[in-house]
Amino acid sequence: MSSAEVPSVGDLLAERYRLEEHIGGANGHRQLWRGVDVLLHRSVAVVLRSPGGEDAAPTMTAAVAASRTHVDSMVDVYDAVDEDRFAYVVREWVNGSSLRGVLERQTLESAHALELVASVADAVAALHDGGVTHADLQPGSILLSEDDRVMVTEPRNEPGNTQVEDVRALGATLYACLTGAWPRVVPAENTGLPDAATDEWGRVLDAAKVVPGVPARLSQLTADLLDHAQTPPSAAELAVELRRLTETGGADPAPAQATSVLGAINLGSINFGRRLSGDAAAPPLGMKRLAVVAAVIAAVIFAGVVGSAIVFGGDDDPAGAEDQITGEDTGGDASEDGETDVAAPTEAEITAADIRVVDPPDGDRDQGEGVDAVIDGNASTGWSTNTYYNDPGFGNLKPGMGILIDLGEAMEVASVRVQMTSAGATVGLLAGDEDPGDSSEGDQAIVDDFSELAAPVADADTNIELQAGGQSARYIVVWVTELPASSGGFKLTISDINVFVR
């Protein structure tokens, strides 16, 4: 690491985590970096705190607790290191949007909001069981990943924060999901949302008064959670109640349903019920993949271009970079409720038999092994080129290399996501109607005859989403024309490729 008190691009932490890009945070207290685990060849987020030592002890304790939660709605924490002047937490790198980015564009329907906050409550309950608090629950610290997960960022565990405050923050998050505004009776840093409306006495207006149609029971529950005169439930009990209400969209259950609820718990004016342990209607703790999240992301994220979006909360959010989403209309006709008629892209199913390496002359065609690792869903494995010297353009030996993907039939290609272990490559997409053959001549024909499906991106990040614009094709090629620097030469490893079609 450099001798300065501020890390810089290229610094290697713990002889393992190379800092690639400063994402947010000032030069002091807390910073967020995108990094690469050079041992496992995967992208990571590095949350760095300065100074380390005693001041960072709560953060280190929280990181250990988070790594042991085993709840799918908590981001995976890989490592926590205190180097005295620096302490840092290394966690999962998440592509997608923050909840804040979604709520800045639209509110959620009651059932969606209930299930989403229930998943967040699962993570909070696990932290509380581990003896720590989150201390930063708000829309910016809740992530909606591209693969349909609700995920909570690592806890801060600030001194003085209590479990009760975490539960009130869950209530505030639920209110924000329903109304698009943040109730300031629950302090939070930089939520990015407008203040919730209040009455003449300064009390937050009930959600049902702000958004007509919010069920009365759900509106009352949210109001109770925000009322400091009420004793809130635990996070685990709240998760149970939220999922109970999900069955009815937030309304009180019908009498026939109510008979399956046993042992009502009266906490203030909140009437909670525990479901029978064998009741299949209560999803397991930590459910990760949610249809409602897929719907939200389809409606919001796929309306634009999702790049390498590592999202984070609090005051680490640089202006204009909270989601890294750029708006390009899908071209669909919007209905009165704001939804589009364009179907959300789905991921194409690709097998090892559907892919091969394209290595045109003067390639030696000895780099085809292991290419199936790019479709195994494991970011720690991948396919690598050889090391080339003298020039990033494959040593000036050939026009490029690529990975050919056979979709089985012509499909409308929305985008292709490519994850690499190093930034700096030039990557684009080619498309054609037939595979001219796995040979030097066939690969040259691909170079000569395939059309450009997505323009090449120079100096690409480690995670990129190449937009294909809906063009129809059966064969596509992830086409690399320049390699990043590596060990005195130039080399690239591609860990994952995902193709999204309509």
Side-chain angles (χ1 to χ4, degrees):
M1 178 171 294
S2 61
S3 59
E5 286 299 312
V6 178
S8 58
V9 172
D11 282 345
L12 194 65
L13 304 181
E15 299 183 349
R16 178 171 184 174
Y17 308 110
R18 187 177 65 243
L19 300 180
E20 296 283 321
E21 181 183 4
H22 180 214
I23 301 296
N27 288 340
H29 189 54
R30 190 171 185 266
Q31 300 181 20
L32 179 67
W33 288 77
R34 177 180 60 79
V36 172
D37 182 337
V38 299
L39 296 184
L40 295 181
H41 304 294
R42 65 181 175 189
S43 295
V44 295
V46 180
V47 182
L48 187 143
R49 192 182 170 118
S50 177
E54 184 178 347
D55 289 343
T59 299
M60 296 294 99
T61 300
V64 172
S67 71
R68 295 173 176 172
T69 58
H70 304 299
V71 175
D72 290 339
S73 48
M74 173 68 68
V75 293
D76 288 337
V77 174
Y78 303 138
D79 207 347
V81 181
D82 189 348
E83 295 187 355
D84 195 27
R85 58 180 184 135
F86 294 107
Y88 43 92
V89 176
V90 182
R91 65 162 166 87
E92 180 179 3
W93 169 279
V94 180
N95 288 314
S97 172
S98 65
L99 176 59
R100 172 176 55 209
V102 171
L103 297 181
E104 287 175 343
R105 293 164 173 80
Q106 67 177 62
T107 57
L108 305 186
E109 294 183 358
S110 297
H112 294 181
L114 283 162
E115 188 56 75
L116 187 150
V117 179
S119 290
V120 177
D122 289 340
V124 175
L127 289 174
H128 290 179
D129 287 344
V132 302
T133 61
H134 191 281
D136 187 34
L137 285 169
Q138 42 97 0
S141 63
I142 299 167
L143 314 181
L144 307 180
S145 74
E146 290 176 357
D147 56 349
D148 307 342
R149 294 178 292 166
V150 175
M151 305 184 75
V152 181
T153 59
E154 75 288 341
R156 293 194 182 186
N157 194 35
E158 298 290 350
N161 192 73
T162 66
Q163 294 185 8
V164 167
E165 289 173 291
D166 276 353
V167 175
R168 294 215 192 282
L170 289 170
T173 300
L174 180 58
Y175 187 95
C177 288
L178 298 170
T179 67
W182 184 262
R184 296 302 171 183
V185 294
V186 177
E189 299 177 1
N190 191 25
T191 66
L193 301 178
D195 290 351
T198 58
D199 61 18
E200 57 186 307
W201 296 282
R203 296 176 302 195
V204 176
L205 292 182
D206 287 353
K209 293 182 179 179
V210 178
V211 180
V214 172
R217 173 66 181 128
L218 175 56
S219 183
Q220 183 60 54
L221 168 62
T222 308
D224 286 341
L225 291 169
L226 298 177
D227 186 354
H228 286 256
Q230 302 282 358
T231 301
S234 69
E237 290 166 336
L238 179 59
V240 171
E241 176 67 359
L242 293 174
R243 288 199 169 98
R244 184 180 73 86
L245 290 175
T246 300
E247 300 169 24
T248 59
D252 275 321
Q257 292 174 292
T259 59
S260 67
V261 179
L262 303 180
I265 306 170
N266 289 297
L267 300 163
S269 63
I270 307 175
N271 189 15
F272 285 83
R274 296 186 185 275
R275 300 198 67 82
L276 290 168
S277 60
D279 191 344
L285 188 70
M287 183 174 66
K288 180 180 284 188
R289 295 184 174 273
L290 304 172
V292 297
V293 180
V296 171
I297 291 186
V300 179
I301 297 179
F302 286 115
V305 180
V306 181
S308 304
I310 176 72
V311 281
F312 48 90
D315 56 358
D316 293 326
D317 199 346
E322 61 270 18
D323 304 308
Q324 298 184 27
I325 296 178
T326 58
E328 190 169 81
D329 200 333
T330 58
D333 295 328
S335 60
E336 291 183 1
D337 59 6
E339 296 182 353
T340 66
D341 295 330
V342 177
T346 58
E347 185 172 352
E349 294 185 7
I350 303 170
T351 69
D354 301 326
I355 62 175
R356 69 172 179 86
V357 172
V358 175
D359 190 4
D362 290 318
D364 49 22
R365 304 184 57 76
D366 65 350
Q367 300 168 63
E369 291 187 9
V371 68
D372 55 328
V374 303
I375 58 167
D376 65 1
N378 185 352
S380 65
T381 62
W383 169 82
S384 300
T385 69
N386 291 338
T387 299
Y388 292 81
Y389 298 95
N390 302 319
D391 191 274
F394 292 88
N396 280 324
L397 298 175
K398 51 192 172 185
M401 288 186 71
I403 296 177
L404 176 75
I405 301 170
D406 180 2
L407 298 176
E409 60 180 344
M411 294 187 180
E412 183 182 337
V413 183
S415 65
V416 177
R417 185 164 66 236
V418 183
Q419 182 169 339
M420 299 162 282
T421 60
S422 301
T426 297
V427 187
L429 295 177
L430 304 177
D433 296 327
E434 62 180 27
D435 179 0
D438 186 4
S439 64
S440 289
E441 295 76 13
D443 289 353
Q444 184 61 52
I446 287 175
V447 175
D448 295 337
D449 300 334
F450 273 34
S451 61
E452 183 179 276
L453 186 61
V457 176
D459 194 23
D461 201 349
T462 54
N463 295 271
I464 60 173
E465 187 102 1
L466 297 166
Q467 299 299 312
Q471 183 176 329
S472 182
R474 172 174 174 175
Y475 295 94
I476 61 175
V477 178
V478 175
W479 183 239
V480 181
T481 53
E482 289 195 353
L483 303 170
S486 174
S487 303
F490 303 93
K491 179 180 181 178
L492 177 65
T493 297
I494 298 178
S495 3
D496 278 306
I497 295 175
N498 306 90
V499 180
F500 296 93
V501 298
R502 292 189 179 93

